[in-house]
Amino acid sequence: MRKINKIIIHCTATAEGKNYTAADIDRWHKTMGFSKIGYHYIILLDGTVELGRPLAEKGAHTAGHNSDSIGICYVGGLDCLGNPKDTRTTAQRSALEELVKKLKKRFPKAAIHGHRDFANKDCPCFDVRTELYNNTDSA
Ligand SMILES: [Zn+2]
């Protein structure tokens, strides 16, 4: 297994209410020249967690931070006009919380980040720090 220091949250940057799946993202990422989907987990509108790239494989989601991180992506992130918005459904919120909890148990040293901590982007369109127990293991 790779050394995991970060869990990085993303959104698909697609319009609110549009239900894309891991298979769609896999197709998009292949057209961008990736071997396969760049994220490790995808959270659908109904809270279903789909698997993307195997955890043991380095992802392709955050420039400069892929080798020691896990990439999670929820479907949504834009309003109907294409502006950044926290569009997560109640099911997506709880699925994300559960998944992060589970991963923190397995990788206690991993810090939770949003993509925007590392790039000049809005992704994932909500404040990961205030919401997802960041660095609960540090004093
Ligand atoms: Zn992102």
Side-chain angles (χ1 to χ4, degrees), residues 8-12 39 61-62 72-73 114-116 121 123-124:
I8 304 176
I9 317 292
H10 298 263
C11 63
T12 50
Y39 308 114
H61 51 88
T62 307
I72 303 175
C73 182
H115 187 186
R116 65 187 181 191
K121 292 172 181 267
C123 180

Side-chain angles (χ1 to χ4, degrees), residues 9-72:
I9 317 292
H10 298 263
C11 63
T12 50
T14 52
E16 183 164 21
K18 298 255 186 194
N19 198 13
Y20 297 106
T21 64
D24 294 313
I25 300 167
D26 188 50
R27 217 175 46 243
W28 302 338
H29 283 184
K30 280 174 179 161
T31 63
M32 289 166 62
F34 299 175
S35 60
K36 66 180 85 150
I37 188 167
Y39 308 114
H40 297 96
Y41 296 97
I42 297 83
I43 303 180
L44 308 189
L45 295 186
D46 69 357
T48 303
V49 177
E50 290 192 320
L51 300 179
R53 211 172 267 222
L55 271 193
E57 270 179 46
K58 170 182 159 178
H61 51 88
T62 307
H65 299 274
N66 287 312
S67 57
D68 65 345
S69 71
I70 294 171
I72 303 175

Side-chain angles (χ1 to χ4, degrees), residues 45-127:
L45 295 186
D46 69 357
T48 303
V49 177
E50 290 192 320
L51 300 179
R53 211 172 267 222
L55 271 193
E57 270 179 46
K58 170 182 159 178
H61 51 88
T62 307
H65 299 274
N66 287 312
S67 57
D68 65 345
S69 71
I70 294 171
I72 303 175
C73 182
Y74 76 92
V75 173
L78 299 181
D79 69 14
C80 61
L81 298 173
N83 301 309
K85 181 184 175 188
D86 181 1
T87 62
R88 288 171 302 153
T89 62
T90 310
Q92 280 178 310
R93 279 172 195 264
S94 44
L96 179 61
E97 197 178 313
E98 280 306 302
L99 178 59
V100 166
K101 244 189 238 174
K102 206 176 78 185
L103 291 171
K104 278 291 276 183
K105 221 168 258 172
R106 180 160 168 204
F107 306 103
K109 293 230 151 56
I112 322 290
H113 293 279
H115 187 186
R116 65 187 181 191
D117 295 350
F118 304 111
N120 186 19
K121 292 172 181 267
D122 293 304
C123 180
C125 305
F126 72 96
D127 189 358

